[in-house]
Amino acid sequence: MVQKPSLPKGTRDFGPEAVAKRNFIFDKIKACFQYHGYLPIETPVMESLSTLTGKYGEEGDRLLFKVLNNGDYLADVNQEDLSQKNSNKVISQISKRGLRYDLTVPFARFVAMNRNEINFPFKRFQIQQVWRADRPQKGRYQEFYQCDADIVGSDSLMYEAELIEIYNTVFTALNLPVEILVNNRKVLEGIAETIGAQNLFIEMTVAIDKLDKIGWQGVGAELLTKGFNHDQIEKLTKILDITKLADLEPWLVESEIGLLGIEELKTLHLYLDKISLDQDVKLDLKLARGLNYYTGCILEVKAKTAAMGSLGGGGRYANLTEVFGLSDVSGVGISFGAERIYDVMEELNLFPPNVLAQPQLLIITDDDCVLDGFETAYKLRKAGIAVDLYPSPAKFKKQMKYADDRKFAFVLIIGIQEKEQQKYALKNMVTGEQIAISWDELIVKFSK
Amino acid sequence: MVQKPSLPKGTRDFGPEAVAKRNFIFDKIKACFQYHGYLPIETPVMESLSTLTGKYGEEGDRLLFKVLNNGDYLADVNQEDLSQKNSNKVISQISKRGLRYDLTVPFARFVAMNRNEINFPFKRFQIQQVWRADRPQKGRYQEFYQCDADIVGSDSLMYEAELIEIYNTVFTALNLPVEILVNNRKVLEGIAETIGAQNLFIEMTVAIDKLDKIGWQGVGAELLTKGFNHDQIEKLTKILDITKLADLEPWLVESEIGLLGIEELKTLHLYLDKISLDQDVKLDLKLARGLNYYTGCILEVKAKTAAMGSLGGGGRYANLTEVFGLSDVSGVGISFGAERIYDVMEELNLFPPNVLAQPQLLIITDDDCVLDGFETAYKLRKAGIAVDLYPSPAKFKKQMKYADDRKFAFVLIIGIQEKEQQKYALKNMVTGEQIAISWDELIVKFSK
């Protein structure tokens, strides 16, 4: 039976060039992490549903991919739940595992489980895929990579500064101009206090978080429905437009938490003043970060020369591992949005031309010299030169077309004539020039 | 609510050292593949169940991890199947996707889907995880990596030779002595013919495949139950002990397919005679390979100095993509058993001592010099020197213990005294020696 091959919706294959381009980004990020003393970990693709459920809000629970138990999975399911087709109640009876939804929760679980072996502060990085059952659309997939670095076990603001420096270093290495936006959740809490809305803090941040998408008009409308009055909204608008700490401070003099936030931002700047960065770092009071587990400084990165959402973000969280039984472990982390970085780099044409690591040289032979071709390939590789070889007797034209399609820079031709003269024919596939070349000359030409 | 963090059975976390060791193996394999012109691809973790089902036999279907459809997945399920708790019938109604079971079937799907963009012969490699719901036990996990290289679109035996050369190169680079065993499925078919059991060919290979585990006595017993007689089994035992092609040939003179197999092995040796290998390559007629899609040469790698099953295997298949509607595409491929290679290398202590890429140098400071420490770390990194920095004011003893636990080779101490004298204190953590060192000396010492 022949079947039409297809991919599940929301997933993608990656051909050689796409893999090479993605690895180009990963390698820059990884090198920078390692350079700063971050250590790699990897966690399983499947986590227990009990680890994942309830960590990402109601929508997150819905978007988790659940894995069916193996064997006779229906045997012990409540008959009533089944006959009522109660999908929700049945889930926990037929599925114990789900696919990783982000790298943060698995990391928190890892830290809690390995607390006795870990040397704190623990600096870890993790570059792995995650899965979300979002409706697929342009630029949004159900399977995608995250690249995270976190430090847990220290509340030093030095790490916020280090992470900003890492963002700076990576985006400079990628030749991608960005703005690094900084804010502080305590400052936002202070602002909520100042406008008399401290009990609406979460509602305020959730609304502000949408500014990019729906503008002040939309945000204002949302705030009104949440219980803010016009006066508060006007004041909020005015405060959030402030771009300098010194201008903000007078507004927050009566908020203890607000002043603490300002203090944190000042300390952060003491560190940043010691170093020089290529990318812009800006205070942006309108930066809120949707995730409510952030408790201190928050960060976000935006491309300067391309219309694209956030290329990365992160922040300080006081208590990520508490749910797994490990309290008082402060942490801070950042994430690179690899898929978006990829798209922006494509748009701006920033990938190097030879990003795909393949040999420069292809050997082709005539029918009588196939074995000689194989021997020559072997000897070149022994000499440290990467090389490919056309496999079988085939028409010269066909072999040259293959060389062209695969974009080899040079073709080495071995035929009876070349064998007799102990010289190879080397054709430059860009210029078309063809020369006779001896073994020794060949080694010199292609040795690094 | 606090929960006890745990992992699903059969899965593992990988800490920094394990990740580094695994990458050490992957990097050697990957470099060798690329050196020979193989190109990387990646396929999604989830495939359509229609792609996976029926490809791995009945047991394979059972061991596939199935992913639950999202949303109200029970809504359209047949009520009778539900009330009968018919797990099998319900599966296809509540699950459309499964986790990748190997890399071969996704590769075949990829080739069939991208046939118009691919330049044949297509040399691809793929290093990704696969999942099997096997009962977990020592050394067997439900999530593990496979490292495959395949060529499709050519029937040249040059590729069998190239793949043997790749096995040779990788295991030599890993410093791991192996035997590379070679056989041919056509030869085995010829042997079945010769002993008058051509219609029991599959039964014969399935039984031979168990020789390692159950010995000749067990295999003989199995063959008897499958319909072989004592005379055939005796003859088979005698033939399979042959170690030279020349000794085998007289047995197969009347089998057309057997002679074809011998011809293939001879051609393979014409190629192998052109090169010199560090590892042993041996004809082993007892090598059968369980998978029935092999149609020509088959390969298997065994460690010479450790009791461990196969470290890799592969072979020629005539028609892998046919089920996806693409016929007459011959291919050949090999796989590295990364988990077993890892275990053998641990057992033989073959990983280099500094396999974990981390900075050599940790900066520690006293309370007044935290900002100086941050600045120094920044400047060292700018100068191309990887460095880590202890985060916060902390007791000297605590910082030194951290340096020790994290196995930094050197600690750079910055205190008021060092700052005033414009000299750093550099402590060698192995010898305990401590010296005063200037900035310039520091750069020279740690620059590559």
Side-chain angles (χ1 to χ4, degrees), chain A residues 306-379:
Chain A
M308 176 67 76
S310 149
L311 299 185
R316 165 75 59 180
Y317 39 85
N319 252 324
L320 200 65
T321 54
E322 194 169 35
V323 65
F324 298 116
L326 180 63
S327 310
D328 298 322
V329 178
S330 183
V332 55
I334 56 170
S335 188
F336 285 86
E339 316 279 337
R340 282 185 178 168
I341 294 173
Y342 186 107
D343 290 346
V344 175
M345 289 190 60
E346 276 287 32
E347 190 186 324
L348 301 178
N349 212 1
L350 292 178
F351 288 109
N354 297 318
V355 68
L356 183 59
Q358 73 159 13
Q360 282 198 282
L361 191 60
L362 176 76
I363 297 175
I364 71 176
T365 68
D366 68 19
D367 292 12
D368 300 315
C369 298
V370 176
L371 287 171
D372 302 283
F374 185 73
E375 186 181 6
T376 307
Y378 168 78
K379 282 159 73 182

Side-chain angles (χ1 to χ4, degrees), chain A residues 22 35 42 72 87 123 276 384, chain B residues 22 35 42 72 87 384 388:
Chain A
R22 219 170 42 190
Y35 220 61
E42 287 188 17
D72 189 8
S87 289
K123 303 172 82 170
S276 89
Chain B
R22 220 170 40 188
Y35 219 60
E42 288 187 15
D72 189 8
S87 289
D388 204 350

